[in-house]
Amino acid sequence: MAAPTTDATAIANGEVARTRTSWQLHSDRYTKGGLPPDFAEPWKNSDATLIVEKRKFHVHQTLLKLSSPFFEALFADTNFAEGKTKTATLKNKKAADVCDLLQVLYPPHKNLAAEMTDRILPLADEFLMWGIKKQCERALVSVGDFNFKSVATADRYKLRHLRENAVNFITIHYPFRTLLNSNAFTRLDESTRLEILERRIRYTYQHIPDRIETLVWGNKEKTLRERCQCLKETLIKTCDLSPGQTADPL
């Protein structure tokens, strides 16, 4: 079989060399464990395109479908333009964030550091990427320093392991006056606030079982709001803390 010919003009202009260099760059990144791909050009039989802030990301349907029910439905339904053209525009997203998400997903798998989770976790949640969500959770738990934001994040994205670690940390390390006077604490869900207060009481009065019975179990017939208020008033008296007193530093 004769070798394929190449237009002499194209060779003279260096187009063939540029094409080979571009392909080789992506090939090296993907197969040799070097830098993660940047998705800027077609590579390794990529067969779909994501467009974010006018930037194109050349991706692979199979990997996205396996990783995300969102993309599986998006590219499978030929009744929608995305299913026919295999091109999807992701609105209200930042290109840099989507690039980081894809680089975490694709080999050689960019390290997902805790400081990246504020940007990656919302995308993983929206696109139903459970594996990436678990990576975000592990990154946040690995830090070991939890606060009210940790609890709010865990509740919002249903990260059970992060929530348990954060609530336990707050229970042990946050004094009553911080819980009672912190604006961040008051913004938590009411049931979460009650859980933290009750755990803190159990931790503080573990050597006085009767005290726990009085503070926690004596209010079971009341609503969540009433129980929270009752605990708060009791703790204010216990701590000799006035309602307007400044909280301890977090």
Side-chain angles (χ1 to χ4, degrees), residues 176-182 185-186 197 232 235-236 239 241:
F176 280 132
R177 65 179 63 246
T178 297
L179 297 179
L180 297 176
N181 280 339
S182 169
F185 179 70
T186 60
L197 287 173
K232 184 174 180 178
L235 292 175
I236 288 173
C239 302
L241 174 66

Side-chain angles (χ1 to χ4, degrees), residues 74-90:
L74 186 69
F75 289 124
D77 194 342
T78 56
N79 292 321
F80 294 98
E82 293 85 354
K84 293 179 180 179
T85 65
K86 308 307 177 185
T87 298
T89 299
L90 304 180

Side-chain angles (χ1 to χ4, degrees), residues 64-77:
L64 290 185
K65 287 179 179 180
L66 288 172
S67 306
S68 163
F70 173 90
F71 286 112
E72 181 179 20
L74 186 69
F75 289 124
D77 194 342

Side-chain angles (χ1 to χ4, degrees), residues 139-185:
L140 291 170
V141 170
S142 68
V143 174
D145 184 18
F146 306 99
N147 51 37
F148 297 128
K149 180 183 177 182
S150 305
V151 180
T153 297
D155 282 344
R156 179 176 181 180
Y157 296 109
K158 297 179 175 58
L159 304 177
R160 180 182 58 80
H161 190 45
L162 173 62
R163 187 182 192 279
E164 185 64 23
N165 277 269
V167 169
N168 283 341
F169 184 91
I170 290 171
T171 297
I172 295 172
H173 297 285
Y174 280 42
F176 280 132
R177 65 179 63 246
T178 297
L179 297 179
L180 297 176
N181 280 339
S182 169
N183 290 330
F185 179 70

Side-chain angles (χ1 to χ4, degrees), residues 102-122:
L102 292 173
Q103 288 180 343
V104 169
L105 178 65
Y106 273 76
H109 305 297
K110 181 176 182 177
N111 180 52
L112 205 170
E115 55 268 22
M116 295 170 59
T117 57
D118 282 345
R119 299 181 294 106
I120 301 300
L121 186 53

Side-chain angles (χ1 to χ4, degrees), residues 6 21 30 43 60 68 88 99 101 147 187 196 203 249:
T6 305
T21 300
Y30 190 80
W43 65 294
H60 301 77
S68 163
C99 186
L101 176 70
N147 51 37
R187 287 194 294 268
I196 292 174
Y203 177 77

Side-chain angles (χ1 to χ4, degrees), residues 5-245:
T5 60
T6 305
D7 187 346
T9 303
I11 294 177
N13 291 335
E15 293 176 9
V16 171
R18 284 198 298 271
T19 300
R20 179 171 178 77
T21 300
S22 175
W23 177 87
Q24 190 64 46
L25 172 64
H26 287 293
S27 179
D28 288 348
R29 281 175 166 171
Y30 190 80
T31 61
K32 296 183 180 179
L35 296 174
D38 60 15
F39 311 98
E41 298 179 15
W43 65 294
K44 286 290 184 179
N45 300 316
S46 55
D47 55 0
T49 306
L50 304 179
I51 301 176
V52 188
E53 293 183 324
K54 298 182 179 181
R55 178 176 168 183
K56 291 184 178 181
F57 295 88
H58 296 274
V59 294
H60 301 77
Q61 290 186 67
T62 300
L63 180 56
L64 290 185
K65 287 179 179 180
L66 288 172
S67 306
S68 163
F70 173 90
F71 286 112
E72 181 179 20
L74 186 69
F75 289 124
D77 194 342
T78 56
N79 292 321
F80 294 98
E82 293 85 354
K84 293 179 180 179
T85 65
K86 308 307 177 185
T87 298
T89 299
L90 304 180
K91 299 180 179 180
N92 303 318
K93 307 290 184 294
K94 293 184 178 180
D97 296 346
V98 172
C99 186
D100 278 343
L101 176 70
L102 292 173
Q103 288 180 343
V104 169
L105 178 65
Y106 273 76
H109 305 297
K110 181 176 182 177
N111 180 52
L112 205 170
E115 55 268 22
M116 295 170 59
T117 57
D118 282 345
R119 299 181 294 106
I120 301 300
L121 186 53
L123 293 176
D125 184 66
E126 180 177 347
F127 299 147
L128 308 178
M129 292 180 162
W130 316 126
I132 302 294
K133 283 185 66 174
K134 292 303 294 182
Q135 288 187 56
C136 288
E137 182 176 34
R138 285 195 294 270
L140 291 170
V141 170
S142 68
V143 174
D145 184 18
F146 306 99
N147 51 37
F148 297 128
K149 180 183 177 182
S150 305
V151 180
T153 297
D155 282 344
R156 179 176 181 180
Y157 296 109
K158 297 179 175 58
L159 304 177
R160 180 182 58 80
H161 190 45
L162 173 62
R163 187 182 192 279
E164 185 64 23
N165 277 269
V167 169
N168 283 341
F169 184 91
I170 290 171
T171 297
I172 295 172
H173 297 285
Y174 280 42
F176 280 132
R177 65 179 63 246
T178 297
L179 297 179
L180 297 176
N181 280 339
S182 169
N183 290 330
F185 179 70
T186 60
R187 287 194 294 268
L188 293 177
D189 178 82
E190 199 158 49
S191 61
T192 300
R193 297 202 309 271
L194 181 62
E195 178 185 355
I196 292 174
L197 287 173
E198 289 186 348
R199 285 199 188 193
R200 178 65 190 180
I201 287 172
R202 293 180 187 281
Y203 177 77
T204 303
Y205 296 106
Q206 54 188 301
H207 59 294
I208 314 177
D210 291 343
R211 186 64 167 161
I212 295 176
E213 290 294 324
T214 301
L215 292 174
V216 178
W217 298 109
N219 299 312
K220 287 298 180 182
E221 300 302 319
K222 298 180 180 179
T223 65
L224 283 177
R225 184 178 297 276
E226 289 172 339
R227 288 166 67 188
C228 275
Q229 184 60 33
C230 181
L231 283 177
K232 184 174 180 178
E233 291 174 355
T234 302
L235 292 175
I236 288 173
K237 296 176 182 178
T238 302
C239 302
D240 191 24
L241 174 66
S242 62
Q245 190 172 339

